[in-house]
Amino acid sequence: MTDKFKLTTRRRTFLTATAAIGGLQFTGPFIIKARGETPVKIGFIDPITGSLSALAVSEVEGAKWTVDQINKKGGILGRQVQLLVEDSANDTGTGVQKAHKLIERDKVDVIMGDVNSGIAYAIMGVTSAAKVLHIVPGGHTDPITGKDCKWNTFRTCNTTAMDAAAVTGELVKRFGKKWFFITPDYAYGQTLQANFVKNLEKLGGTWQGDMLPISNSDFSATLIKAKAYKPNVLLNNMGGAAQINCMKQFVQFGMSKQMALGGSLFEVESVRSVPKEAQAGWWVMEWYWDQPNVPEVKKFVDAISPAIGNKKPTARHWMSWVSINAIRLAAEKAKTLDAVKMANALEDLELPPEVSLSPNKIRYRKGDHQLMSDLFVGEMHPPGAGGGDDVFKTAEVVTGEKAAGSAEDTGCKMTYPS
Amino acid sequence: MSIAPSTPTPVQSLVARPWLQLAVIWALLLTVPLWLPLLGGYTAIAARVVVFALAAMSLNLLLGFTGVLSFGHGAYFGLGAYGAGLFLKYVTASTPLAIVAGTLLAGVSGTLFGRLLVRRRGVYFAMVTIAFGQVCYYIAYKWDDFTGGYDGLRGFIRAPLDFGLFKIDIAASGVVFYFFVLFVFGLAVGLQALILRSPFGRTMLAIRENERRARFLGLPVERHIWLAFSISCFFTGLAGSLYALLNNFADPSALNYVMSGNIIMITVMGGMRTFWGPLLGAVLFVMLQDYVSSMTTNWMFFVGVTFVLVVLLFPRGLMGVLQKRLGA
Amino acid sequence: MLELVMFNLTNGLIVGAFYVLMALGLSLIINLSNVVNFAHGNFLAIGGYFAFTLTPYIGFWGALLVSPFLTAIFGYAIEKLLIRHVYARNHIYSLLLTFGLGFILQDACRYLWGPSPLPLGIPDALSQAVTPELFFVTWYRVFMVVVVIVAVGGLFAFLRYTRVGMRIRAGTLDLDTVSALGVNVAALRSYNFAVGSFLAGLAGVLAAGQIGLNPNMGDDLIMPSFIAIIVGGVGSLTGTLLGGLLIGIAAALTTVVYPAGAEAVIYVIMAIVLLIRPRGLLGEEGMLT
């Protein structure tokens, strides 16, 4: 029963090292205070580890580069910007904890995050209680700018309502009105499908579908059903690895000859890891790097590309770019970093072309704080002349206003603190 | 080994006298809002430490003091969280009742489930507890109309405590909430200490030391294990409800086996055969995770390495190290 | 309707076969060493990633042959370096060790191969469907079932007819006597772990061909493996075999009537088994107490 515990040199060293690391933890803030001028701090919480990491990594890359560019031009309100990145690890408790950490300990001026909409939502609880400005660059769940909207929260990426509305018309026009849905069974998937159905039925369409587990890997049963239904279009609403597997199996089963493939988002990070045959279908891009008619885009793409491994920027990089520049512009308009004043300044603030990088004018709408960005509807194809990321051909650009419907429809009722 | 008694060093006296231990620990806990920010900490993390400490100490009743290997305690932690959250969301905004609801949900589930399990031991027992935890995880995830599914249960916040004459606003102030959590922790821990000191508690130890002998002595071993399991689940559920109040959120990841593994690691890291060990473990674990994940995206690697090192080199945990080193 | 059922039944057998492969490796390790290898899913991932790295040099077939052996060697090393130390102690330590090991391996995969999903190229011939009617049965899936049958057959033959195999079987029942008879138990455990890892690595290559690679691919597969073992009975390999097939088929058949419940049904089966026959279908009373 007795264990012999020898404080061997190994163990001693380990203990000392741990103590030292523990001690380091506490010296952090002192070092910063000694610098004199306090920088503008932006706290960025994203799931850098976990199943959404590919998207989070792009967002963080974009954010870091954007902050560098802003600092080179003098920062925000004449102060340098400091980006503090924290990993939410795709876990809500961790995300909330990091939000507390960034607000209470690091005293950030703005919070950004999270890709995981559930975590974004939880963080909103913390930021609105603490009265800190919160921008959600890439979390898609509708209630963030819908029935659960808050005065301090702004969202950059699209709602499922916008995505569905943008692409439905095109799909019906090209292929037909009989659709089959493959949807992940959680809030995002359910609202996405509901929005698709709403738009489809308005055009007199009919549909069937299956709700599957989020990380489902085997789609044979559902694809068997889909084949029997003989739809015009198969809607692949799955995300991440599940979306990729669904595409692969769809092609393997030879179904691409019998029906068209479509959906809302199929992000470049996922497209890169799909075999050539599965780089197909009609989708919505929230932003795309190849816009020959907008000169600012090429400048942006050429400038950021070397910093991200000579790849082309994706929509996620763009989301960070827009969000952080929006913070800068709002601060400059309000001449302060006070959250309430910045929020007021940001509403309906039209973003200049070098920030928006889109054909049309975009802004965060006052009624729900949703960015009315352009949506790019088009077709995916295997890499073309432009290299590995030349995988999408835009057929139509839909403005955010048109796709989104009115702010009242979202169910958002904004209340400001007195 | 010298025969002549040497005068004990102050730290040795500390470890030797439980009353002094108790006083020091509580002095530190009560003054956290004063010293933690000075060291670069923040109050929310202190609340998190206390919640996990309670969960680990509850598990320790089973693991350290009865010697039973439950690897699915995350389930009761999560059930406590959901119980409290669902109550606040659908029934009424009363914090004390929500806590009771969460504790009951976890405790009753654990009691029912424990009935099925008591004949099993060892690895099989562990596997079945894991499986039960996953069932709960799955239900929370799937029943999304009710529980919010994958995105978690939201739309509730901790309600201020209204005692008629005065109000304690735990919703607005992080510091007030911390003291509330500490208060509940104190009650729970006090109750646990009473249980351990009672004849029942002695029986638990007997079962841990030598189950066969306990059986020969005529002790109804299965029933005692069931009771210990049940008690442990109630307390873990209590910790879970506090967790829901801390986050204003309840989500499925609180239920799955990774959470279970973390709670066990906290217990072992701190010292699973001691009463206060898990508190130390919680401090270490939460701080480690918080610190490392800010430094590097490879924090999972470091946490894993810590687990492995603790198992291989420090199986008695930090308390074990302190006790052996200081000869207590 | 009958057609749909037949389709899904066939599908269930294919999925079940895969579960069997995963679960058998895990079961072997549990039976002999009483260690629940939480990192088993990560061994699977590593097998897949090894294949990914090797495929450009020796092709898919080469990778399929070599990768499991590499995984087995890796498992052998891990057992000798780390796991060996905790056999004599309370079971909790082995659980925690493999749990922590899982974290390390997952992060290592992420670090070495990146967080994004990666494809594993399979020969074009295998991507075709067998017949137009059975369009969902691609040659690859048939191939997977064949590989599983060969592997399981090989495993049972190994256990039955080789000396090491016999010792493993004996050790599962009574390790003390085996040791008293002069067998090197430590070496036996290492070999056993290596065999278990081999199976995991093989499952990894097969899985990678089907669903691609990502660092957390093992996480979703470890639960069905546990359930297969519990349903089949801890301590019995044949039980695990049955358990895996049973849950695969049950999940597939449930998909016909209620697709959202396909995942739930395996837990329901486990719950029923635990209530009615706690030792599992083919488990023996008193195993692993």
Side-chain angles (χ1 to χ4, degrees):
Chain A
M1 272 332 238
T2 48
D3 276 355
K4 278 213 183 91
F5 183 84
K6 292 202 194 103
L7 200 62
T8 59
T9 330
R10 256 190 319 166
R11 292 180 185 175
R12 212 174 300 174
T13 325
F14 175 74
L15 281 173
T16 334
T18 318
I21 293 177
L24 274 176
Q25 147 90 308
F26 301 134
T27 61
F30 292 114
I31 296 174
I32 294 179
K33 273 197 202 120
R35 247 191 248 139
E37 181 202 85
T38 39
V40 172
K41 292 191 202 150
I42 300 180
F44 201 135
I45 307 174
D46 239 10
I48 305 173
T49 56
S51 52
L52 295 169
S53 58
L55 301 172
V57 165
S58 296
E59 283 189 3
V60 171
E61 270 182 349
K64 283 189 180 151
W65 188 81
T66 306
V67 165
D68 276 343
Q69 300 303 303
I70 291 182
N71 279 336
K72 278 191 199 139
K73 299 204 182 115
I76 295 181
L77 295 176
R79 291 153 64 182
Q80 290 288 285
V81 182
Q82 191 183 31
L83 185 71
L84 294 133
V85 179
E86 291 281 357
D87 183 11
S88 66
N90 221 21
D91 172 62
T92 323
T94 311
V96 169
Q97 180 196 340
K98 300 296 177 143
H100 279 294
K101 181 180 188 178
L102 288 166
I103 294 176
E104 288 167 32
R105 187 186 86 159
D106 300 317
K107 312 248 187 295
V108 294
D109 300 295
V110 182
I111 291 259
M112 291 173 66
D114 185 289
V115 172
N116 178 322
S117 19
I119 300 180
Y121 197 94
I123 295 175
M124 272 167 73
V126 179
T127 54
S128 57
K131 299 198 175 46
V132 173
L133 189 69
H134 182 179
I135 314 246
V136 181
H140 286 85
T141 193
D142 287 12
I144 290 178
T145 50
K147 65 176 177 61
D148 295 318
C149 65
K150 301 238 187 319
W151 67 268
N152 70 316
T153 307
F154 290 78
R155 186 208 344 234
T156 307
C157 68
N158 300 337
T159 58
T160 61
M162 289 163 79
D163 289 335
V167 78
T168 305
E170 193 70 27
L171 287 175
V172 166
K173 197 170 70 182
R174 278 176 198 266
F175 304 111
K177 304 194 271 202
K178 193 175 176 199
W179 288 11
F180 190 92
F181 293 100
I182 301 183
T183 308
D185 195 9
Y186 71 122
Y188 166 77
Q190 289 157 1
T191 37
L192 181 61
Q193 182 169 314
N195 279 311
F196 266 124
V197 166
K198 195 173 82 175
N199 283 285
L200 179 66
E201 286 179 347
K202 236 193 285 187
L203 297 170
T206 55
W207 62 277
Q208 252 186 34
D210 260 359
M211 286 270 180
L212 297 175
I214 297 172
S215 50
N216 194 50
S217 54
D218 185 69
F219 293 87
S220 349
T222 306
L223 289 171
I224 291 171
K225 234 192 254 183
K227 189 165 170 147
Y229 182 64
K230 295 197 194 358
N232 302 120
V233 191
L234 181 79
L235 275 279
N236 181 350
N237 291 331
M238 307 297 292
Q243 186 180 34
I244 295 173
N245 286 323
C246 186
M247 304 280 290
K248 284 208 299 211
Q249 287 165 29
F250 175 79
V251 169
Q252 269 180 355
F253 297 170
M255 288 167 72
S256 42
K257 305 187 189 73
Q258 287 140 10
M259 59 192 84
L261 178 64
S264 79
L265 295 178
F266 189 14
E267 303 199 53
V268 173
E269 286 83 355
S270 300
V271 176
R272 283 178 186 148
S273 50
V274 172
K276 279 208 307 293
E277 322 74 73
Q279 285 167 335
W282 282 79
W283 314 89
V284 175
M285 286 280 186
E286 298 182 291
W287 180 84
Y288 192 59
W289 64 268
D290 185 18
Q291 296 180 48
N293 302 326
V294 185
E296 286 81 2
V297 174
K298 184 160 191 328
K299 273 189 249 160
F300 172 75
V301 171
D302 291 339
I304 193 175
S305 209
I308 54 174
N310 281 325
K311 294 200 287 261
K312 301 277 188 269
T314 67
R316 297 278 167 180
H317 293 101
W318 172 81
M319 285 170 203
S320 293
W321 168 260
V322 172
S323 309
I324 297 181
N325 275 299
I327 295 169
R328 172 178 66 86
L329 292 167
E332 280 165 13
K333 180 169 168 194
K335 299 202 183 17
T336 170
L337 288 171
D338 170 69
V340 177
K341 299 209 175 77
M342 277 181 75
N344 281 319
L346 188 51
E347 288 175 339
D348 285 340
L349 175 65
E350 202 178 278
L351 302 174
E354 64 273 9
V355 171
S356 70
L357 301 176
S358 308
N360 297 303
K361 299 193 196 300
I362 70 177
R363 71 192 201 291
Y364 290 92
R365 186 160 72 172
K366 180 171 171 136
D368 57 359
H369 290 182
Q370 172 64 46
L371 184 68
M372 294 286 112
S373 59
D374 287 326
L375 295 101
F376 300 78
V377 179
E379 191 179 12
M380 202 70 77
H381 58 77
D389 287 332
D390 178 14
V391 286
F392 186 76
K393 185 165 157 50
T394 312
E396 194 197 343
V397 176
V398 180
T399 61
E401 300 275 14
K402 181 158 164 240
S406 74
E408 292 79 50
D409 279 348
T410 64
C412 174
K413 290 192 181 20
M414 200 95 59
T415 44
Y416 274 81
S418 45
Chain B
M1 264 305 198
S2 62
I3 301 171
S6 45
T7 43
T9 66
V11 193
Q12 273 179 332
S13 334
L14 180 66
V15 179
R17 288 197 211 127
W19 291 112
L20 207 50
Q21 244 183 33
L22 200 65
V24 170
I25 290 176
W26 278 102
L28 284 173
L29 285 174
L30 285 167
T31 53
V32 153
L34 295 175
W35 54 265
L36 194 58
L38 292 176
L39 293 177
Y42 51 104
T43 327
I45 204 176
R48 194 173 158 97
V49 168
V50 174
V51 169
F52 277 114
L54 181 59
M57 288 169 86
S58 314
L59 174 64
N60 202 23
L61 289 177
L62 201 59
L63 186 63
F65 290 102
T66 318
V68 171
L69 185 61
S70 169
F71 214 95
H73 256 55
Y76 312 107
F77 187 71
L79 281 174
Y82 272 97
L86 288 168
F87 191 88
L88 278 172
K89 182 168 181 172
Y90 292 117
V91 183
T92 178
S94 158
T95 300
L97 287 180
I99 294 179
V100 170
T103 311
L104 279 179
L105 181 62
V108 171
S109 311
T111 311
L112 291 175
F113 180 62
R115 189 81 189 85
L116 288 177
L117 276 192
V118 282
R119 279 184 218 287
R120 309 283 135 204
R121 294 287 182 282
V123 167
Y124 190 70
F125 184 89
M127 285 179 69
V128 178
T129 55
I130 297 169
F132 177 75
Q134 290 305 105
V135 173
C136 291
Y137 172 75
Y138 182 74
I139 294 177
Y141 176 119
K142 244 344 185 161
W143 196 3
D144 46 10
D145 293 332
F146 187 50
T147 67
Y150 173 76
D151 292 318
L153 185 68
R154 49 196 194 202
F156 67 89
I157 53 165
R158 49 189 186 248
L161 301 168
D162 191 349
F163 291 110
L165 291 175
F166 61 95
K167 255 184 139 156
I168 302 181
D169 194 356
I170 54 173
S173 164
V175 175
V176 174
F177 182 65
Y178 168 74
F179 281 113
F180 173 72
V181 169
L182 198 59
F183 176 70
V184 176
F185 174 76
L187 287 181
V189 159
L191 197 55
Q192 284 182 5
L194 278 177
I195 292 175
L196 285 173
R197 245 173 260 273
S198 72
F200 175 70
R202 295 285 148 199
T203 319
M204 283 161 68
L205 282 174
I207 294 174
R208 178 188 82 188
E209 291 304 319
N210 193 327
E211 191 183 313
R212 198 176 283 180
R213 189 182 288 178
R215 212 185 285 271
F216 287 164
L217 285 171
L219 292 170
V221 170
E222 262 80 40
R223 198 183 311 159
H224 274 84
I225 291 182
W226 183 30
L227 200 50
F229 189 84
S230 175
I231 293 174
S232 167
C233 291
F234 273 100
F235 278 113
T236 311
L238 177 62
S241 2
L242 291 175
Y243 190 62
L245 295 175
L246 172 65
N247 291 332
N248 287 327
F249 206 91
D251 83 317
S253 68
L255 289 162
N256 80 9
Y257 76 92
V258 176
M259 176 60 81
S260 304
N262 286 338
I263 298 178
I264 297 182
M265 182 38 82
I266 290 176
T267 316
V268 171
M269 211 193 274
M272 72 179 183
R273 286 181 168 215
T274 66
F275 188 69
W276 288 109
L279 173 61
L280 279 181
V283 172
L284 275 179
F285 182 78
V286 174
M287 301 306 256
L288 177 74
Q289 211 183 31
D290 191 58
Y291 182 67
V292 176
S293 64
S294 304
M295 286 293 116
T296 165
T297 54
N298 296 98
W299 60 268
M300 238 184 154
F301 177 81
F302 288 103
V303 171
V305 166
T306 309
F307 277 27
V308 170
L309 286 175
V310 167
V311 167
L312 290 177
L313 299 179
F314 305 109
R316 292 288 192 181
L318 185 59
M319 278 303 260
V321 170
L322 286 176
Q323 282 174 342
K324 280 276 184 319
R325 191 84 177 100
L326 303 168
Chain C
M1 182 62 175
L2 183 63
E3 199 181 64
L4 206 59
V5 172
M6 288 308 295
F7 274 164
N8 281 294
L9 196 60
T10 320
N11 211 32
L13 280 168
I14 297 173
V15 172
F18 185 76
Y19 285 156
V20 164
L21 194 60
M22 257 294 272
L24 276 177
L26 192 57
S27 192
L28 262 180
I29 297 172
I30 292 178
N31 293 351
L32 185 66
S33 318
N34 271 3
V35 170
V36 179
N37 183 13
F38 269 112
H40 206 68
N42 303 96
F43 279 96
L44 177 146
I46 285 191
Y49 276 109
F50 280 156
F52 174 80
T53 311
L54 290 171
T55 310
Y57 303 104
I58 54 178
F60 175 74
W61 301 106
L64 180 68
L65 281 172
V66 174
S67 212
F69 282 103
L70 285 179
T71 317
I73 295 173
F74 180 72
Y76 185 84
I78 295 274
E79 197 274 344
K80 273 245 172 300
L81 283 173
L82 296 174
I83 302 184
R84 179 168 64 87
H85 299 282
V86 295
Y87 287 135
R89 300 212 235 135
N90 190 330
H91 290 313
I92 190 123
Y93 292 112
S94 60
L95 284 175
L96 283 175
L97 184 64
T98 55
F99 184 71
L101 187 62
F103 275 29
I104 297 176
L105 290 178
Q106 196 179 100
D107 212 49
C109 287
R110 182 179 302 116
Y111 183 72
L112 291 170
W113 284 282
S116 307
L118 294 169
L120 182 70
I122 56 177
D124 282 333
L126 290 178
S127 300
Q128 314 300 332
V130 172
T131 77
E133 293 86 49
L134 292 169
F135 66 91
F136 62 94
V137 182
T138 58
W139 279 111
Y140 188 76
R141 302 174 121 219
V142 173
F143 169 70
M144 249 176 41
V145 176
V146 168
V147 169
V148 171
I149 293 176
V150 167
V152 172
L155 178 71
F156 279 89
F158 168 76
L159 289 174
R160 182 107 193 267
Y161 297 116
T162 67
R163 201 178 298 173
V164 179
M166 257 193 295
R167 288 177 182 166
I168 290 177
R169 270 190 302 138
T172 310
L173 291 168
D174 190 339
L175 201 56
D176 288 327
T177 309
V178 168
S179 174
L181 285 172
V183 172
N184 183 346
V185 165
L188 196 63
R189 282 182 162 140
S190 304
Y191 292 137
N192 184 51
F193 200 89
V195 174
S197 308
F198 179 90
L199 291 172
L202 182 62
V205 180
L206 291 177
Q210 174 88 321
I211 61 176
L213 291 159
N214 75 75
N216 14 337
M217 66 194 283
D219 291 349
D220 291 323
L221 292 164
I222 197 150
M223 266 310 128
S225 308
F226 267 35
I227 294 181
I229 294 175
I230 293 178
V231 166
V234 186
S236 161
L237 285 178
T238 326
T240 308
L241 177 64
L242 269 176
L245 287 174
L246 184 64
I247 61 179
I249 294 175
L253 286 177
T254 315
T255 318
V256 180
V257 287
Y258 181 47
E263 262 185 312
V265 79
I266 61 178
Y267 292 107
V268 169
I269 293 179
M270 178 193 74
I272 295 176
V273 166
L274 281 177
L275 282 170
I276 300 179
R277 196 182 160 92
R279 56 185 141 112
L281 294 172
L282 294 180
E284 289 165 27
E285 193 60 61
M287 285 300 301
L288 288 192
T289 49

